[in-house]
Amino acid sequence: MKKSKLLMIVGPLLMLGLFVFPLWNITLEAPQYPTPLGMNMHINKFSDVHEFDIKNINLMNHYVGMKYIPETIPEFTIFPIVIGVMVVLGVLIGFFANYKWYLAWFVLMFLLGAAGIYDFYLWEYDYGHNLDPKAIMSFKNPDGSPMGFQPPLLGTKNILNFVAHSYPRGGAYMMFTGMFMTLGAFFIGKKEAGENN
Amino acid sequence: MKTIFKYFITFTVVSSWLVSCGDVNSGKSSSQGALSTNAAEKVYVAPGEHDDYYAFISGGFSGQLAVYGLPSGRLFKVIPVFSVDAEKAWGFNEETKPMLNTSHGFIPWDDSHHPDISQTAGELDGRWVFINGNNTPRIAKIDLTTFETTEIIEVPNSAGNHSSSFVTENTEYVVAGTRFSVPFPQRDMPISEYKGNFKGALSFISVDPEDGRMDIKFQIMMPGFDYDLSHPGRGASHGWFFFSTYNTEEANSLLEVNASQNDKDFIAAINWKKIEEYVNNGGGKKVPANYAHNVYDEKTHTATSTMKKEVLVVDPTEVPGAVYFMPTPKSPHGCDVDPSGEYIVGSGKLAAELTVHSFSKMIKAIENEDFDGDAYGIPILSYESTLAGAVKNPGLGPLHTEFDGKGNAYTTFFISSEVVKWKLGTWEVLDRKKTFYSVGHLMIPGGNSRKPFGDYVVAMNKITKDRYLPTGPEVTQSAQLYDISGEKMELLLDFPTVGEPHYAAGIAADIVAKKSKKFFRLEENEHKHAVKSEAESKVVRNGNEVHIYMTMIRSHFAPDNIEGIQVGDKVYFHVTNLEQDYDVPHGISMIGANTSELLIMPGQTESFVWEAKQEGVWPFYCTDFCSALHQEMQGYIRVSPKGSNVPISFTLDGDPVDIE
Ligand SMILES: [Cu+2]
């Protein structure tokens, strides 16, 4: 089998890792939490890093009026379908389609990924800004506007007494690897096509 | 009188001998020595770092068990055992009241003496600590996942439960030997007829290897001596237990004179395996008894007390070959077996030398029937036949010996206030260090096992006088830590202790720490009055009893305002802590409550009773600083006159979101 074909088949299959490993993780550190509180985001659920972490994040966050992290969100139904379809599509393209389709698949996946990240940002923004007006404690920014508690999209940020870390996890790394393999498959496929001519 | 005078002279003479040859270790030079060395560095545990050992030091007359770290000497916890404890509501809340039940009723105090840690194959396994209640004979078991007392068994036919609570190599048994012999069965009789009529019960309490459940398997009814301390055999001597005795004279008044007449008392050697076999084959006699067995269940967070009605008693003369007496000079106290199990050190409190028996010689003497008569039908082995050796001129008033696992023994001397290091086998004194002052017992972590951790020895002193800032006539009790890793001992640290630091057991921290529980799982809470969410909380009237089913979470109670209580009502607070996070207990107390606050761990339920005596509106609040809004964690109870028509009602205020 051609190298490009192989990459185009294996790449999308790697994304199946998203059904096993978390996509993203937010960790909250504070002096009184020597074992930090952590929440994993999967494509179909939230999970505790240590048992009851989400319950305890909720307990902490209610002081500033943040909402409780919901049991489930609509994305948890949509994401698995999208990923499932993209994997199947990718494998089919790998087997049966021309290398140009490889790029098409990559671009589509890239756009879907970007949409996912934007959705995550919106959710975080709402979670960090849409605070209970009866909140126990309210903090203002130096300019007088109400302080938000949005965790960073990617990276590390101080939020009051917490240091919040937001980074991809195993599932995301497998997805990125898979996507770059399909991109590679396109370039290698292109080269292979050139040699054959 | 003459005898006392004679001892006085002896003590003075030997003391002056000690002073003349032991001056190198006088108090001043020793404490300056510590300053001039790196003693401070050796006990310094930097902020955020952990100690290497747990030390469980008994609280003596406080009735509790305190947990310290070594080498820092920092106090971590006082575990309530035999005495009520307001801080933890031990003996105050409805859940733990049954733990202090006895055949004499609810006993809110005892004298806790000798903790010992459970073992597997002769090594400490860190599952449980056992400790004896001396006054109203009891043995308690503390679970080292929660550091809470989970079982207390009363010991019938006993008094002054002192030669306790030491465990066998695989924690098959924990023993409870009586210090005071008493009439058996108890009855009204002239005390002057003590001799021959009083009996000393040595109780073998089996420990279930799975759940640790205790049960008195048998009691050996020994002659009416005083049974002082005991230690299990190990290695080759596993299967035997040794008990020191005094007052083999069976005197019953002015014992300091009358019980010091015999030149030698005994160490009783008990082949418990033989007696176990006898009992398993139907031996022994079930006799009526009445004793409490109290068990705390971690799932229901509640103790139950059951009265047991009989106990199996064994007459030692009916099991030939199971019990022998080894003569040991002058009222031995400690009765300590070395890690190999070969040497049994008898510390004659009034003897000029330290007697060491040999287990293998004892077995040979038994085979050869090397007897010097008998006591009440129990063979007395000849003194020379079991003697391994003696430490000459060791000090004054030997009490207790522990071992470092490197062939050395360390003995405390009460009268001469010192710890003396000597060598097993050659019996030569290697080193001696002063203690401040009047040392009782000492402890090397793992000392009562095959594998001592020979880094440190802790001396537990009876008197401190000028060692600390004065606090009136009562000054702190104290322990002292010595480094024993080198050839010479080095005093590193003084640290104050709770109550009388009577005896101790120590264990490497990593064996215990990793198993420590962080919280109780709410879903496993089977307390009969638990409510597991705010929505389930309620107030129920039942005649003149009102039951409040309450929850607590940072930073509110649910419900928080309760009306419809009437004067004369008995109000039960059943309170569940909904937290599921490490180190987040909440407390609750009610004005005028004739009890203590409750300190409730995450996932736990506790209850207390409050009697409504006066009309009014009365507050309750959280007693443990739990969060930024701890001060806001409060509520009220409205008390109306008896017969009032104010209905039972309450508010489920606070947080509108159910986080469950
Ligand atoms: Cu509180």
Side-chain angles (χ1 to χ4, degrees):
Chain A
M1 190 181 278
K2 276 194 213 149
K3 209 172 172 189
S4 60
K5 234 175 169 35
L6 199 67
L7 282 174
M8 188 58 214
I9 293 164
V10 174
L13 283 174
L14 271 184
M15 300 209 314
L16 289 174
L18 283 168
F19 287 93
V20 184
F21 303 104
L23 175 67
W24 214 265
N25 170 277
I26 294 180
T27 293
L28 298 170
E29 281 177 0
Q32 64 270 52
Y33 285 93
T35 306
L37 297 170
M39 176 173 95
N40 285 326
M41 276 158 277
H42 301 254
I43 53 166
N44 56 353
K45 64 174 182 202
F46 298 121
S47 73
D48 293 309
V49 172
H50 307 96
E51 200 177 17
F52 303 118
D53 273 1
I54 294 176
K55 174 172 176 158
N56 290 315
I57 290 171
N58 283 334
L59 263 170
M60 292 313 304
N61 288 352
H62 96 285
Y63 285 116
V64 292
M66 288 166 82
K67 284 198 280 284
Y68 289 105
I69 294 162
E71 278 283 306
T72 188
I73 52 176
E75 285 85 338
F76 289 158
T77 354
I78 300 162
F79 284 172
I81 295 171
V82 170
I83 298 296
V85 166
M86 285 306 288
V87 170
V88 173
L89 198 63
V91 172
L92 288 177
I93 288 173
F95 271 110
F96 303 113
N98 175 290
Y99 71 90
K100 285 173 190 156
W101 284 90
Y102 298 0
L103 185 66
W105 185 92
F106 175 80
V107 170
L108 179 60
M109 189 61 222
F110 184 85
L111 291 174
L112 286 169
I117 289 170
Y118 183 63
D119 179 71
F120 175 45
Y121 175 83
L122 286 181
W123 180 77
E124 267 192 333
Y125 184 90
D126 176 62
Y127 181 69
H129 287 89
N130 193 357
L131 304 175
D132 183 348
K134 275 177 74 188
I136 296 161
M137 291 190 256
S138 80
F139 294 90
K140 299 241 182 314
N141 291 315
D143 66 6
S145 62
M147 189 186 275
F149 302 96
Q150 183 178 0
L153 190 60
L154 174 73
T156 293
K157 183 176 154 192
N158 288 314
I159 306 175
L160 292 180
N161 58 324
F162 282 97
V163 181
H165 305 275
S166 175
Y167 291 99
R169 275 294 194 269
Y173 290 119
M174 287 180 77
M175 179 175 75
F176 296 149
T177 311
M179 283 173 68
F180 280 102
M181 280 168 80
T182 62
L183 191 62
F186 166 72
F187 286 115
I188 292 169
K190 195 173 167 186
K191 214 172 126 201
E192 284 166 350
E195 279 162 8
N196 283 350
N197 289 343
Chain B
M1 222 12 151
K2 238 192 196 154
T3 330
I4 295 177
F5 185 66
K6 216 164 69 193
Y7 287 136
F8 183 70
I9 296 287
T10 322
F11 291 163
T12 316
V13 171
V14 189
S15 309
S16 43
W17 164 79
L18 266 170
V19 168
S20 61
C21 81
D23 218 9
V24 284
N25 296 320
S26 79
K28 282 250 149 47
S29 68
S30 174
S31 60
Q32 281 168 0
L35 277 179
S36 65
T37 67
N38 56 350
E41 214 170 276
K42 285 181 176 171
V43 300
Y44 182 68
V45 178
E49 288 184 5
H50 290 174
D51 281 281
D52 298 330
Y53 294 98
Y54 285 102
F56 298 93
I57 301 185
S58 72
F61 47 68
S62 86
Q64 316 295 42
L65 178 66
V67 188
Y68 300 84
L70 298 181
S72 72
R74 298 180 295 188
L75 173 65
F76 299 149
K77 184 173 186 179
V78 176
I79 303 171
V81 186
F82 296 114
S83 300
V84 293
D85 180 309
E87 184 191 348
K88 298 182 179 82
W90 184 252
F92 288 101
N93 61 8
E94 296 305 298
E95 288 74 14
T96 58
K97 278 180 189 170
M99 288 302 278
L100 300 180
N101 189 39
T102 73
S103 62
H104 307 272
F106 178 87
I107 304 276
W109 171 86
D110 214 311
D111 185 11
S112 64
H113 270 213
H114 312 117
D116 202 16
I117 299 168
S118 58
Q119 300 183 17
T120 303
E123 293 184 15
L124 301 188
D125 59 28
R127 294 195 289 167
W128 306 296
V129 179
F130 299 89
I131 189 167
N132 56 324
N134 198 41
N135 184 53
T136 304
R138 288 177 269 185
I139 298 284
K141 184 183 75 200
I142 291 127
D143 186 325
L144 288 186
T145 63
T146 56
F147 285 64
E148 281 178 10
T149 306
T150 53
E151 195 171 357
I152 294 180
I153 193 163
E154 192 183 356
V155 185
N157 304 318
S158 277
N161 173 34
H162 196 265
S163 36
S164 321
S165 52
F166 303 102
V167 299
T168 53
E169 250 189 22
N170 297 297
T171 321
E172 294 97 337
Y173 293 100
V174 48
V175 301
T178 191
R179 179 170 140 208
F180 308 120
S181 284
V182 287
F184 169 71
Q186 266 294 7
R187 61 193 180 276
D188 171 24
M189 65 170 280
I191 298 168
S192 58
E193 291 168 24
Y194 176 127
K195 194 165 185 159
N197 289 316
F198 283 31
K199 294 280 179 210
L202 305 181
S203 308
F204 282 71
I205 300 169
S206 59
V207 179
D208 186 290
E210 290 309 312
D211 59 14
R213 183 65 69 106
M214 298 193 288
D215 187 26
I216 301 178
K217 175 103 171 174
F218 54 84
Q219 290 193 310
I220 309 169
M221 275 305 156
M222 297 286 285
F225 312 149
D226 290 51
Y227 296 84
D228 201 8
L229 274 168
S230 64
H231 260 67
R234 59 180 65 90
S237 56
H238 174 57
W240 290 77
F241 224 105
F242 305 94
F243 293 80
S244 59
T245 69
Y246 65 95
N247 192 22
T248 49
E249 297 86 349
E250 294 180 75
N252 60 63
S253 76
L254 193 57
L255 253 57
E256 69 166 355
V257 173
N258 295 327
S260 304
Q261 296 303 307
N262 287 350
D263 187 42
K264 295 190 176 63
D265 294 288
F266 301 128
I267 284 180
I270 312 268
N271 185 335
W272 60 259
K273 279 208 168 151
K274 201 158 230 174
I275 295 177
E276 182 186 58
E277 193 188 316
Y278 169 77
V279 164
N280 286 345
N281 290 329
K285 203 170 87 190
K286 283 194 172 141
V287 302
N290 188 31
Y291 60 101
H293 183 206
N294 310 328
V295 180
Y296 183 85
D297 183 314
E298 201 184 90
K299 292 269 194 314
T300 60
H301 302 283
T302 304
T304 46
S305 180
T306 314
M307 294 309 293
K308 297 213 168 174
K309 295 298 177 192
E310 60 180 18
V311 68
L312 188 80
V313 163
V314 173
D315 175 349
T317 61
E318 287 181 2
V319 197
V323 183
Y324 297 91
F325 287 130
M326 293 196 281
T328 305
K330 289 287 174 202
S331 306
H333 188 62
C335 172
D336 303 297
V337 181
D338 85 304
S340 75
E342 166 63 9
Y343 297 118
I344 303 122
V345 183
S347 307
K349 295 194 295 282
L350 310 172
E353 50 181 49
L354 208 58
T355 308
V356 186
H357 297 283
S358 150
F359 176 72
S360 51
K361 282 178 125 180
M362 181 193 94
I363 293 296
K364 201 176 280 169
I366 292 170
E367 281 164 9
N368 298 339
E369 301 196 352
D370 242 336
F371 301 145
D372 253 355
D374 71 286
Y376 295 100
I378 295 168
I380 301 170
L381 295 163
S382 89
Y383 177 62
E384 285 73 22
S385 71
T386 64
L387 194 66
V391 185
K392 308 267 188 227
N393 297 324
L396 278 181
L399 278 175
H400 177 207
T401 302
E402 292 254 299
F403 309 89
D404 62 7
K406 295 175 265 187
N408 304 308
Y410 300 75
T411 303
T412 48
F413 291 83
F414 178 76
I415 296 169
S416 51
S417 277
E418 58 186 336
V419 178
V420 173
K421 175 182 180 180
W422 51 276
K423 199 166 179 56
L424 286 162
T426 69
W427 324 119
E428 63 180 313
V429 170
L430 302 175
D431 191 21
R432 52 176 75 241
K433 279 280 178 291
K434 282 281 172 201
T435 59
F436 307 94
Y437 310 92
S438 299
V439 61
H441 287 279
L442 79 171
M443 180 272 278
I444 291 173
N448 181 32
S449 78
R450 280 199 202 185
K451 204 186 103 190
F453 305 90
D455 300 336
Y456 301 108
V457 64
V458 177
M460 286 158 273
N461 303 331
K462 305 296 183 193
I463 294 173
T464 53
K465 288 196 172 150
D466 59 351
R467 297 294 287 188
Y468 298 92
L469 282 176
T471 50
E474 200 217 355
V475 288
T476 184
Q477 305 256 332
S478 150
Q480 294 187 301
L481 181 78
Y482 297 82
D483 179 354
I484 55 165
S485 57
E487 263 179 34
K488 298 285 176 189
M489 295 179 273
E490 185 190 355
L491 175 60
L492 299 179
L493 182 70
D494 282 13
F495 62 96
T497 57
V498 174
E500 180 215 3
H502 190 93
Y503 193 96
I507 183 167
D510 55 6
I511 301 173
V512 173
K514 60 175 184 252
K515 293 188 280 193
S516 196
K517 221 182 190 66
K518 292 196 157 79
F519 52 82
F520 297 101
R521 300 172 66 91
L522 203 53
E523 78 236 38
E524 290 174 4
N525 179 333
E526 291 167 17
H527 190 291
K528 66 175 174 193
H529 296 304
V531 286
K532 299 186 186 177
S533 71
E534 292 184 359
E536 291 171 52
S537 57
K538 60 188 173 190
V539 181
V540 178
R541 175 179 284 285
N542 180 9
N544 73 334
E545 277 184 7
V546 176
H547 292 263
I548 303 171
Y549 297 84
M550 184 179 273
T551 65
M552 44 177 33
I553 201 152
R554 280 162 285 178
S555 314
H556 60 272
F557 295 103
D560 60 0
N561 283 332
I562 297 150
E563 304 196 359
I565 309 297
Q566 300 178 7
V567 170
D569 281 346
K570 267 179 110 171
V571 182
Y572 285 82
F573 286 75
H574 306 291
V575 192
T576 304
N577 181 345
L578 295 180
E579 307 277 355
Q580 294 285 269
D581 197 3
Y582 187 25
D583 199 20
V584 192
H586 294 284
I588 181 169
S589 74
M590 180 70 213
I591 189 170
N594 194 10
T595 173
S596 95
E597 52 88 64
L598 302 178
L599 189 59
I600 308 170
M601 299 304 125
Q604 195 180 22
T605 305
E606 293 187 22
S607 310
F608 73 96
V609 190
W610 178 74
E611 289 180 40
K613 291 180 185 138
Q614 297 171 50
E615 289 167 30
V617 178
W618 309 98
F620 56 87
Y621 70 98
C622 176
T623 53
D624 187 24
F625 211 113
C626 54
S627 63
L629 295 160
H630 161 70
Q631 289 300 89
E632 282 73 6
M633 199 165 164
Q634 63 185 51
Y636 288 100
I637 287 197
R638 173 181 168 192
V639 180
S640 307
K642 194 158 187 62
S644 145
N645 55 9
V646 177
I648 289 273
S649 68
F650 52 88
T651 53
L652 265 178
D653 207 357
D655 221 285
V657 188
D658 179 10
I659 66 124
E660 280 308 298

